[in-house]
């Protein structure tokens, strides 16, 4: 798998500075990089809300698209701190660029002149389409597209859209009872779909019938690729071309995940009482080994200590009253 040799092609380090209320933060945060050729790389820059083409030989930016050119500052996250959260960028075969603006709930298509607005997938707060998505993959016409398969993270599903008559139409979706905050989905050459299900702590392989044929437990994984199958979904066909059936939570059969015991369903029953975004945010901040049971145990301990403290204060006040009774004179 490796020769053990490491060669640094390019690196850039910026000193971290506290965010300022006026102006932009000086922090550099590159969330994704797509290799164009030996000297040029596309970069998704979260801190500066842009997509740029970097020449690593000269260290210069030769092209840049800024989200401010096409999107109002009052949308997405709180400007200027994590405003767009551009989390993915991909160079397409036709020379265009696809990028994921998570906080705007949109996947956008760019050319060298700027945004191709008619190709935008999703919309600000149109949560029924996509909701704070991650890692969209483009499937070209020669593979049954144009189509985009995307991890619809806050909707707890994998969804694919097919381009039809100038619009994006939902063509396939997959979700089971376990799925929680998925952040990557790759269509493999054999028609299977490799999914990284982050908050559920697993990577799963779905066959063309929508069944889980392989699963690996791993805490808070972000992205997975099947080695030897090409970059992301490069070797896979669209769901429309393959005729993939959509699957809802109750449709997934013949797997352990589809027939959970009552005990194994308790975490899902509890987390379903709260908004997905809140649950995913808490799980992201906690250590990887902390699950729903561990969190409930910690909450129970904190609650017990708090109750104990209140009772101790009450008992202390009662004890003082008994030791120093109030005297009444007739």
């Amino acid at each position: 798998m490796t020769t053990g040799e490491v060669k640094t092609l390019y690196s850039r380090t910026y000193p971290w500075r506290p965010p300022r209320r006026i102006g932009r933060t000086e922090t550099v945060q590159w969330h994704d990089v797509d290799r164009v050729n030996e000297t040029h790389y596309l970069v998704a820059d979260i801190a500066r809300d842009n997509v740029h083409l970097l020449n690593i030989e000269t260290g210069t930016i030769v092209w840049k698209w800024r989200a401010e050119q096409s999107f109002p500052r009052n949308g997405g996250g709180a400007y200027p701190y994590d405003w767009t959260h551009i989390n993915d960028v991909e160079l397409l075969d036709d020379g265009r660029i696809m990028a994921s603006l998570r906080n705007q709930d949109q996947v956008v298509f760019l050319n060298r002149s700027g945004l191709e607005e008619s190709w935008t997938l999703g919309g600000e707060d149109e949560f029924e389409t996509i909701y704070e998505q991650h890692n969209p993959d483009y499937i070209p016409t020669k593979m049954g597209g144009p189509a985009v398969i995307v991890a619809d993270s806050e909707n707890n599903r994998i969804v694919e859209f097919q381009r039809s008559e100038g619009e994006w139409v939902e063509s396939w979706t997959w979700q089971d009872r376990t799925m929680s905050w998925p952040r990557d989905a790759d269509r493999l050459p054999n028609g299977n779909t490799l999914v990284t299900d982050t908050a559920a702590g697993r990577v799963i392989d779905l066959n063309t019938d929508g069944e889980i044929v392989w699963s690996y437990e791993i805490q808070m994984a972000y992205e997975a690729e099947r080695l030897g199958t090409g970059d992301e979904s490069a070797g896979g066909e669209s769901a429309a071309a393959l005729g993939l059936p959509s699957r809802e939570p109750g449709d997934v059969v013949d797997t352990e995940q589809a027939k959970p015991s009552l005990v194994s369903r308790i975490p899902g029953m509890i987390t379903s009482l709260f908004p997905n975004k809140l649950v995913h945010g808490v799980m992201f901040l906690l250590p990887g080994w902390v699950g729903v049971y561990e969190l409930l145990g910690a909450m129970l301990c904190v609650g017990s200590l708090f109750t104990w403290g209140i009772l101790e204060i009450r008992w202390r006040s009662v004890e003082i009253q008994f030791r120093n009774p109030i005297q009444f004179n007739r």
Side-chain angles (χ1 to χ4, degrees), residues 90-109:
E90 181 178 340
L91 178 66
L92 309 184
D93 291 343
D94 58 12
R96 294 183 300 161
I97 297 165
M98 184 180 72
S100 171
L101 277 63
R102 190 199 72 175
N103 288 349
Q104 276 72 18
D105 310 301
Q106 295 174 59
V107 177
V108 299
F109 291 78

Side-chain angles (χ1 to χ4, degrees), residues 123-159:
E124 181 84 27
D125 296 335
E126 293 180 9
F127 300 144
E128 69 280 0
T129 305
I130 48 177
Y131 185 7
E132 296 199 353
Q133 73 289 336
H134 287 82
N135 283 319
D137 285 351
Y138 183 77
I139 300 176
T141 302
K142 65 182 180 181
M143 303 302 289
V148 174
I149 180 172
V150 57
D152 190 7
S153 304
E154 296 296 347
N155 284 327
N156 291 332
R157 65 173 186 165
I158 303 301
V159 63

Side-chain angles (χ1 to χ4, degrees), residues 12-207:
R12 177 178 290 182
T13 303
Y14 280 71
W16 184 87
R17 299 180 184 176
R20 296 171 297 181
R21 291 190 177 276
I22 300 176
R24 303 306 303 274
T25 172
E26 298 298 327
T27 305
V28 169
Q29 187 177 356
W30 293 350
H31 202 289
D32 188 36
V33 178
D34 201 18
R35 185 177 186 272
V36 176
N37 53 43
E38 292 183 356
T39 59
H40 289 75
Y41 288 75
L42 275 171
V43 178
D45 189 339
I46 285 183
R48 289 175 170 79
D49 301 301
N50 70 54
V51 173
H52 62 259
L53 182 63
L54 176 69
N55 183 332
I56 65 171
E57 279 191 336
T58 62
T60 57
I61 295 174
V62 297
W63 174 86
K64 179 189 293 185
W65 173 80
R66 296 186 300 274
E68 294 168 302
Q69 298 172 215
S70 307
F71 291 89
R73 295 181 179 181
N74 59 357
Y79 185 91
Y81 313 117
D82 198 28
W83 172 45
T84 60
H85 199 100
I86 299 178
N87 59 26
D88 188 76
V89 63
E90 181 178 340
L91 178 66
L92 309 184
D93 291 343
D94 58 12
R96 294 183 300 161
I97 297 165
M98 184 180 72
S100 171
L101 277 63
R102 190 199 72 175
N103 288 349
Q104 276 72 18
D105 310 301
Q106 295 174 59
V107 177
V108 299
F109 291 78
L110 312 169
N111 56 38
R112 292 304 177 96
S113 300
L115 178 70
E116 293 188 358
E117 190 170 352
S118 63
W119 272 73
T120 298
L121 169 60
E124 181 84 27
D125 296 335
E126 293 180 9
F127 300 144
E128 69 280 0
T129 305
I130 48 177
Y131 185 7
E132 296 199 353
Q133 73 289 336
H134 287 82
N135 283 319
D137 285 351
Y138 183 77
I139 300 176
T141 302
K142 65 182 180 181
M143 303 302 289
V148 174
I149 180 172
V150 57
D152 190 7
S153 304
E154 296 296 347
N155 284 327
N156 291 332
R157 65 173 186 165
I158 303 301
V159 63
E160 186 169 322
F161 294 89
Q162 187 80 17
R163 189 76 173 171
S164 176
E165 298 181 357
E167 295 183 351
W168 290 110
V169 179
E170 184 178 311
S171 56
W172 176 79
T173 183
W174 192 95
Q175 181 183 37
D176 69 354
R177 294 187 181 98
T178 304
M179 182 159 280
S180 181
W181 204 37
R183 292 199 289 173
D184 188 36
D186 296 348
R187 181 64 41 71
L188 304 178
N190 64 358
N192 286 13
T193 307
L194 184 68
V195 176
T196 306
D197 194 3
T198 301
R202 60 179 182 166
V203 174
I204 56 177
D205 194 344
L206 312 175
N207 66 14

Side-chain angles (χ1 to χ4, degrees), residues 195-204 214-224 288:
V195 176
T196 306
D197 194 3
T198 301
R202 60 179 182 166
V203 174
I204 56 177
W214 176 86
S215 178
Y216 180 78
E217 293 185 4
I218 181 171
Q219 293 297 324
M220 298 302 290
Y222 177 73
E223 185 177 27

